Amino acid sequence: MKLVLILALAASALLGQTDTDQATDLNVNSRYIIESISFLDQRNYKLSTSALEDIRRLVGAKVNTEALDRLSQRIRAELRAHEVTFKLMRGEAPEAVRVLIHVDQAAGVLDASVPKLMYNSRQGFTGVGEVAATAGPNALTLRMLRDSDTLIEHFSGVQAKYDWLALDGGRIRLGFEFDAYQDQYDSATLAALDGASRPSSLGAGVYGSRLNYEPSATFVLAAPLTLTVGLGFEELSSLPTAARPVSANSVINTLRYHQRWTGSGGNKQELDAGYNLRAATTLLGTDLAYTRHLAQARYSYSRDAQSVEVTIVAGAICGQAPLFERFSLGDSAMLRGWNKFDLDPVGGNRLAYGSVTYGYHIMRVFYDTGSVWDPGKAPELKQSAGIGVSGGLGVFEKGAFLLAVAFPFRSGPVIPVLIAGMNF
Amino acid sequence: MTVSSQGLLPHHASGEIRVTAPSLHFLTGKSLSRLHDGAAVPFDFQLIIASGSKNNVVARALERFTVSYDVWEEKFSVIRVRDFRKSGMRLSANSAESWCLDNIFLPAGSLPLDQQLWARLEIRAAEPREPLATQADSGLNLATLIEIFSRPSRPQQDRWSLESAPFQLASLKP
């Protein structure tokens, strides 16, 4: 997950709790309040929910060397790093300090994991296996995946990504990603593409395989605000294979803001917002010209055992985008309970979606609503609700799990959808 | 790092033997970097007096001093772990080093007046994850310090060792 953990200065309620802990702290800096905790190299480290919880607890409290040492050891174990140390810097506010965590992976680390395993009783299994190797500022990630959930197409294949983090103290990250997928389609999708209902805005028919070459650069504009710019060169090998491949080459821009706050009284807030623009332009020699906008925001508030999370997503495509770019709802993350192939088997060029989740301890109750449609057609609002258990609010957290049953609001027979997932 | 010279100067005052070492600087290198990063770095001190020969130890003092560096005031602070109430605040690097030497001493009463004596000072910087071995009520566990100095230092561990020239207690200046 994006882990630029700049957490705002919390209020004094926590201070009283930690005074006793400070009694034996021999560090003169123990009188200062931790204003924020962040990673020195600005990298996206994936930590467990409990490690993130530890970080949240420390922000707003006085410096506690032992607690910071424990956190360092925990991060070292989770990231399998050679060494993890922390550094105190003057904070923005007087009498406050920033904690910068330094992860030393200079010796090189090879890590194998299963970052995602999801089952949806309508869509089937989705799984990702990952091998990540790091050596100094270099990170190489290889993934094998099978995804029946997130796109209209079912795709399986490999992703290989190289990241170099050495520029400007980690504030600039250069990357190159190569993806190779084999694609399959639901019978409803194939039927819709063959029929008269095939949307005129669809940029290409079905394709049997997809290759993607994607160089990118990520800039930390003002932590935690980041901008990623890159190019995507997608090559779609159409069915039948004798046909000439179709290219969808685009400029990619992503602006992202991810912030967490711990407030007085122990309440916690998190905002994860982003805007993504993909502009396939003839300047890049693309066969398909289109512009795809996607904006999304997720806000969560939790206090004691209760939590509320609100998600809003909006998207629009102008031009003729291929299937993998088109929007869909009715999967394991959005408009849960619906079958995306019932809603729109070829996806749409417009998307509006909102969701509210209430949590009490690990219990979750959610309500989803949204629509996916094409220009010229009236959007049809769909709704669903569900109940389940979850180990985290954000789906990005390592160790978060979800087991839920979701129901679509519709007339006629209602078949619940079972969703089970784990972020290892 | 080891400094082994005769740069250790013993003094006798108020019935106690103390030492000074003008050429000794242990707030350097890796330890100083850790301090500037806001960490607290413990230093273990052993002051030994030998009589007759350098191997005949007749008195020994052990102390652990925890040094930290105030990231706002840019000054050093030292606490004698055996007694948290004993501390030096807002010190320069040299003053912090001197403060440690001022606060390790031996009673002179048990030392022979007319025999040749040697003083030896050993300092080791504790490793970042080495347990402090503190006890909430009585401060430092003395047995732990003895154990630390009875084993060889690690290759990466900062250590310093100084010896004095031979001296007689009666001839020491305050």
Side-chain angles (χ1 to χ4, degrees):
Chain A
M1 68 174 284
K2 179 70 181 172
L3 247 192
V4 181
L5 287 168
I6 302 297
L7 305 173
L9 179 64
S12 55
L14 278 171
L15 306 184
Q17 295 173 8
T18 52
D19 279 348
T20 50
D21 298 336
Q22 305 296 315
T24 53
D25 197 329
L26 307 182
N27 191 334
V28 68
N29 297 300
S30 62
R31 60 198 170 121
Y32 298 132
I33 294 168
I34 297 177
E35 182 180 278
S36 64
I37 299 179
S38 60
F39 283 97
L40 194 61
D41 56 12
Q42 304 284 346
R43 272 178 70 173
N44 304 331
Y45 291 109
K46 199 168 185 178
L47 297 176
S48 68
T49 308
S50 53
L52 293 172
E53 195 57 42
D54 284 349
I55 290 171
R56 287 173 201 148
R57 256 198 302 271
L58 289 173
V59 172
K62 284 184 178 175
V63 170
N64 182 330
T65 308
E66 264 189 62
L68 286 171
D69 279 337
R70 277 199 303 271
L71 176 67
S72 299
Q73 290 312 300
R74 177 171 213 152
I75 293 173
R76 177 173 174 264
E78 288 191 7
L79 301 180
R80 298 180 194 179
H82 175 61
E83 190 171 27
V84 173
T85 53
F86 66 87
K87 177 177 182 170
L88 303 182
M89 303 275 287
R90 285 183 181 181
E92 295 292 323
E95 307 289 298
V97 292
R98 292 183 293 138
V99 178
L100 299 176
I101 298 172
H102 177 229
V103 179
D104 178 11
Q105 296 182 326
V109 173
L110 189 67
D111 187 23
S113 62
V114 180
K116 185 180 181 183
L117 190 61
M118 178 74 75
Y119 173 75
N120 180 310
S121 58
R122 292 276 173 81
Q123 326 288 359
F125 279 99
T126 291
V128 180
E130 180 181 287
V131 177
T134 55
N138 305 287
L140 181 65
T141 307
L142 293 172
R143 286 181 159 191
M144 292 190 70
L145 69 153
R146 179 185 189 278
D147 192 330
S148 305
D149 195 51
T150 53
L151 299 179
I152 285 295
E153 66 200 48
H154 306 298
F155 61 105
S156 56
V158 294
Q159 294 177 340
K161 187 169 189 196
Y162 168 75
D163 284 302
W164 187 52
L165 305 111
L167 287 176
D168 192 22
R171 294 183 69 83
I172 302 174
R173 183 173 68 232
L174 301 180
F176 182 82
E177 181 172 338
F178 168 72
D179 308 325
Y181 304 120
Q182 294 291 319
D183 299 280
Q184 292 182 316
Y185 302 88
D186 190 85
S187 56
T189 303
L190 294 172
L193 288 172
D194 283 342
S197 60
R198 175 186 167 123
S200 58
S201 60
L202 182 63
V206 293
Y207 35 85
S209 63
R210 179 156 62 92
L211 297 176
N212 179 37
Y213 306 86
E214 194 172 303
S216 65
T218 299
F219 304 88
V220 179
L221 300 178
L225 181 66
T226 61
L227 172 68
T228 301
V229 294
L231 299 171
F233 297 93
E234 300 257 4
E235 187 179 289
L236 316 175
S237 294
S238 302
L239 294 173
T241 52
R244 186 180 72 84
V246 175
S247 61
N249 303 333
S250 57
V251 177
I252 304 167
N253 294 292
T254 303
L255 197 60
R256 182 152 184 236
Y257 180 88
H258 187 191
Q259 179 73 291
R260 297 169 194 254
W261 299 271
T262 301
S264 58
N267 68 67
K268 299 177 183 89
Q269 300 175 73
E270 180 176 352
L271 175 63
D272 187 1
Y275 167 71
N276 174 259
L277 168 68
R278 295 173 67 97
T281 164
T282 51
L283 290 173
L284 295 174
T286 185
D287 293 321
L288 305 171
Y290 61 90
T291 308
R292 182 183 192 267
H293 307 266
L294 181 68
Q296 50 194 328
R298 180 175 64 85
Y299 170 79
S300 67
Y301 177 93
S302 61
R303 181 173 179 144
D304 300 326
Q306 300 190 76
S307 61
V308 176
E309 181 176 304
V310 178
T311 303
I312 296 171
V313 185
I317 295 172
C318 304
Q320 294 188 309
L323 269 176
F324 73 88
E325 295 279 39
R326 290 171 69 86
F327 303 116
S328 66
L329 290 175
D331 53 30
S332 300
M334 296 198 293
L335 207 60
R336 292 159 283 190
W338 283 89
N339 181 349
K340 61 186 170 190
F341 301 111
D342 291 343
L343 292 172
D344 192 338
V346 292
N349 270 3
R350 297 288 186 272
L351 169 75
Y353 170 74
S355 172
V356 180
T357 301
Y358 169 76
Y360 183 73
H361 290 287
I362 64 168
M363 292 297 298
R364 298 288 183 272
V365 180
F366 55 84
Y367 166 77
D368 294 355
T369 182
S371 181
V372 58
W373 73 101
D374 274 321
K377 293 182 181 174
E380 199 175 331
L381 202 62
K382 302 292 185 186
Q383 301 171 76
S384 67
I387 186 167
V389 293
S390 176
L393 269 178
V395 294
F396 303 103
E397 291 178 0
K398 195 173 184 177
F401 65 91
L402 171 71
L403 180 64
V405 180
F407 305 87
F409 291 180
R410 65 190 302 177
S411 56
V414 172
I415 303 171
V417 172
L418 174 69
I419 300 168
M422 182 78 193
N423 222 342
F424 291 94
Chain B
M1 182 171 65
T2 302
V3 177
S4 183
S5 67
Q6 297 192 336
L8 192 65
L9 306 174
H11 306 274
H12 181 197
S14 308
E16 291 165 345
I17 299 287
R18 294 173 191 265
V19 292
T20 55
S23 62
L24 172 67
H25 295 291
F26 57 90
L27 297 182
T28 56
K30 199 169 60 180
S31 299
L32 186 61
S33 296
R34 285 169 57 201
L35 287 165
H36 282 161
D37 285 348
V41 181
F43 290 89
D44 296 324
F45 280 61
Q46 177 172 234
L47 177 61
I48 286 173
I49 302 290
S51 171
S53 77
K54 287 184 180 180
N55 295 325
N56 182 32
V57 175
V58 292
R60 181 201 307 261
L62 292 156
E63 294 287 358
R64 171 171 282 191
F65 298 102
T66 295
V67 183
S68 55
Y69 178 77
D70 191 314
V71 295
W72 271 100
E73 296 184 356
E74 298 184 344
K75 293 286 184 186
F76 291 88
S77 168
V78 192
I79 291 178
R80 189 167 71 179
V81 177
R82 187 165 56 86
D83 178 6
F84 293 166
R85 288 166 299 184
K86 193 76 177 170
S87 63
M89 307 294 284
R90 297 185 179 87
L91 304 171
S92 66
N94 287 349
S95 303
E97 291 166 342
S98 300
W99 191 92
C100 293
L101 292 187
D102 289 344
N103 284 279
I104 182 167
F105 51 84
L106 284 163
S110 59
L111 300 177
L113 276 171
D114 52 350
Q115 287 190 27
Q116 201 165 48
L117 303 172
W118 287 267
R120 186 165 76 240
L121 178 69
E122 291 178 23
I123 306 171
R124 294 186 186 189
E127 292 296 289
R129 280 183 292 281
E130 196 166 9
L132 277 173
T134 55
Q135 293 175 344
D137 51 352
S138 61
L140 184 68
N141 184 337
L142 198 63
T144 304
L145 274 182
I146 293 171
E147 194 266 328
I148 286 171
F149 280 102
S150 66
R151 68 187 181 216
S153 61
R154 297 183 191 89
Q156 301 300 320
Q157 191 173 20
D158 284 343
R159 64 184 290 265
W160 298 263
S161 179
L162 286 86
E163 281 186 6
S164 71
F167 63 93
Q168 288 198 333
L169 193 59
S171 62
L172 280 186
K173 294 175 183 175

